[in-house]
Amino acid sequence: ALGSANLTDGIWRFEPGGFESAKYTIAHGVNFAGDPKTRNAEMPAFKDKLSATDIKKMAVYVYKFGGGQ
């Protein structure tokens, strides 16, 4: 209803999905002009705001919403 992704299912916006995909998107963002590795969708990059450890923790947290599959 709010236009956000359902983080409780196993459907991933970017393939292949999973932990590494979540970690990659958090690090490089989406449509972020300053990073050539950015994804194409709607999300800012956080690599300059979060440490590598925090990005890994967030990726694990988001990954678990999909059942950790």
Side-chain angles (χ1 to χ4, degrees):
L2 298 174
S4 59
N6 177 358
L7 299 177
T8 63
D9 62 21
I11 299 170
W12 291 88
R13 168 67 172 87
F14 301 105
E15 296 295 332
F19 172 76
E20 289 300 322
S21 181
K23 192 168 89 171
Y24 183 98
T25 303
I26 292 165
H28 298 284
V30 180
N31 299 336
F32 184 63
D35 190 337
K37 294 182 179 181
T38 193
R39 303 272 198 180
N40 184 20
E42 297 295 326
M43 179 180 165
F46 287 88
K47 69 180 180 180
D48 296 331
K49 297 177 180 133
L50 299 172
S51 69
T53 300
D54 288 337
I55 289 172
K56 185 174 181 178
K57 287 178 183 178
M58 183 178 275
V60 168
Y61 179 73
V62 171
Y63 180 67
K64 286 182 178 181
F65 278 119
Q69 305 291 326

